[in-house]
Amino acid sequence: MTTVKTNIDENRNSDVPIDEYDTVRLPGGEIVGPELGFTKLMVLLADTHSAYRTASLRALVKLRGNKVANLVLGRLNDCAVNVRVEACRQIAVLGLRNAVPKLYDSLNDRQPYVVCAAARALHEFGDNIGFDYVCKAALKKGGHQIEAVRCMNLFLEEKLPEDEKGLKIATKMLTEKRDHIFTIN
């Protein structure tokens, strides 16, 4: 069993293990996956704990369908950062091109993690508009800056190191405000 970081909410920074069947084992030991069925996943999607909503969203996407697509779109307005990030990811997974305007709105989210996730999803659809927003996120101080550099690399021909060194290079280039600093793919 591997562990991935899925909860990036500042209040709860927990590791959520994922097994090979793409189910999610929550910190309390509960397993959430598509085998629970639509009704139970809907109950979890309304839970007060953001880890349940995130896991439910991921599992619901495996079920697909129009109802699921609408639920994913609705979670772009969730109060928890990690749920909004997961909604952006799942929009790309589902290939919901009709969600592009909502992803544009998410580029203006006050949380840089959401901005990066929206930019990634838009990039999946061949839209590079998120680059400027990701650059701004890289310059905004906080724990998200390395993620912003990772996201910047989606758009760049010459990749930056995805660490403090890469952040330092990106910050220097972005603050110098030179024309044609980066070559975008």
Side-chain angles (χ1 to χ4, degrees), residues 1-9 12-20 22-27 32 51 54-55 58 82 85-86 89-90:
M1 188 178 296
T2 59
T3 301
V4 296
K5 198 69 117 175
T6 59
N7 189 346
I8 55 176
D9 189 345
R12 293 186 190 105
N13 213 357
S14 62
D15 291 334
V16 180
I18 309 288
D19 71 21
E20 61 273 14
D22 208 24
T23 56
V24 178
R25 185 178 308 277
L26 296 170
V32 178
T54 302
R58 184 178 299 133
N82 59 315
V85 167
E86 191 63 33
R89 289 179 185 153
Q90 297 308 326

Side-chain angles (χ1 to χ4, degrees), residues 16-90:
V16 180
I18 309 288
D19 71 21
E20 61 273 14
Y21 300 108
D22 208 24
T23 56
V24 178
R25 185 178 308 277
L26 296 170
E30 304 90 338
I31 296 177
V32 178
E35 69 279 355
L36 286 179
F38 187 80
T39 305
K40 286 184 181 178
L41 290 171
M42 286 296 300
V43 170
L44 290 175
L45 192 60
D47 197 272
T48 57
H49 195 292
S50 65
Y52 286 97
R53 295 194 309 276
T54 302
S56 176
L57 192 59
R58 184 178 299 133
L60 278 165
V61 167
K62 302 291 181 207
L63 301 177
R64 305 226 173 227
N66 290 335
K67 284 183 183 178
V68 171
N70 288 330
L71 292 169
V72 171
L73 291 175
R75 288 297 150 187
L76 287 173
N77 298 319
D78 197 277
C79 61
V81 174
N82 59 315
V83 178
R84 296 194 309 272
V85 167
E86 191 63 33
C88 290
R89 289 179 185 153
Q90 297 308 326

